[in-house]
Amino acid sequence: MAEKESIQFLPVYLVNGEDHLKRNVALGRLKARLEKMGDLSFNSDRFEGPSADGTAITAACQTMPFASEKRLVVVNDADKLPKAAQKEVAEYAKAPCETTVLVLVADKLAKNTALYKAVAEVGKQSVIDCTPPQKRDLPNQVRAMAPSHGITITPKAAQLLVELAGEDTVHLDEELKKLAL
């Protein structure tokens, strides 16, 4: 029980950037930590930005969790939310429900938008930067990712993998999985 009490969450997060591997890892970690507190099958909602309604998102956020301490609400493509929905979610972020963790996932949500500013005010760690690495840094990142698959890779091999597989970190991770086999 002490472990459950020690887990702290901010009520709103923004996972912002085009590095899908970083985004998947960040979202996966949040989900794993929330699952320690209770069943997410009853306590989670997912919305797709372009078709999402701000009222539906805020209503889901204000729903009390069932047999758990927290609910999870994920909004994919939050940067593509209609303006009215962005405004509603930004207002919600100013006074969020403490029993819900709202995660906004975006490719490029500009720092000057009201939604970004509202989430940034929630806390120091509320904005999770998932900016893709520079091409020159990819071989080093590939080498850092390799041990998670139980392998090591030389600098030249990492450079060659980046040249052959491209700059998408999700694709590079999949290629490392194949190499590990």
Side-chain angles (χ1 to χ4, degrees):
M1 193 67 154
E3 183 180 338
K4 285 185 179 182
E5 293 172 9
S6 68
I7 298 174
Q8 297 295 318
F9 294 97
L10 292 173
V12 184
Y13 291 93
L14 170 62
V15 181
N16 192 31
E18 294 178 305
D19 188 335
H20 291 262
L21 183 63
K22 281 184 190 176
R23 287 183 7 192
N24 292 344
V25 168
L27 192 55
R29 285 182 182 164
L30 276 171
K31 280 183 179 178
R33 289 177 55 213
L34 280 166
E35 284 173 341
K36 290 179 183 177
M37 299 180 87
D39 188 9
L40 284 184
S41 61
F42 294 113
N43 295 303
S44 63
D45 287 296
R46 182 175 296 273
F47 296 91
E48 299 302 321
S51 61
D53 176 52
T55 304
I57 294 169
T58 57
C61 290
Q62 293 169 344
T63 301
M64 294 300 295
F66 174 73
S68 178
E69 295 176 43
K70 297 279 185 185
R71 285 182 51 74
L72 173 65
V73 177
V74 177
V75 180
N76 291 317
D77 295 325
D79 49 340
K80 296 175 184 158
L81 278 168
K83 293 288 182 202
Q86 278 193 24
K87 185 177 179 182
E88 277 187 74
V89 174
E91 283 300 314
Y92 168 81
K94 292 177 183 175
C97 180
E98 292 299 319
T99 59
T100 298
V101 175
L102 171 62
V103 181
L104 304 166
V105 182
D107 278 341
K108 290 182 182 179
L109 186 63
K111 291 181 179 182
N112 64 350
T113 63
L115 183 55
Y116 188 101
K117 290 176 183 178
V119 174
E121 299 237 347
V122 170
K124 240 181 175 178
Q125 313 231 319
S126 61
V127 177
I128 301 170
D129 182 26
C130 295
T131 305
Q134 298 290 322
K135 186 174 182 171
R136 68 178 182 270
D137 298 330
L138 278 171
N140 288 335
Q141 184 170 349
V142 166
R143 293 193 71 216
M145 291 166 29
S148 69
H149 299 293
I151 61 172
T152 58
I153 189 167
T154 66
K156 281 186 177 183
Q159 180 66 41
L160 184 60
L161 182 61
V162 170
E163 289 171 14
L164 294 173
E167 298 178 36
D168 181 10
T169 54
V170 173
H171 187 64
L172 288 167
D173 190 54
E174 290 297 321
E175 294 303 317
L176 283 171
K177 284 180 190 173
K178 290 177 191 175
L179 288 172
L181 293 174

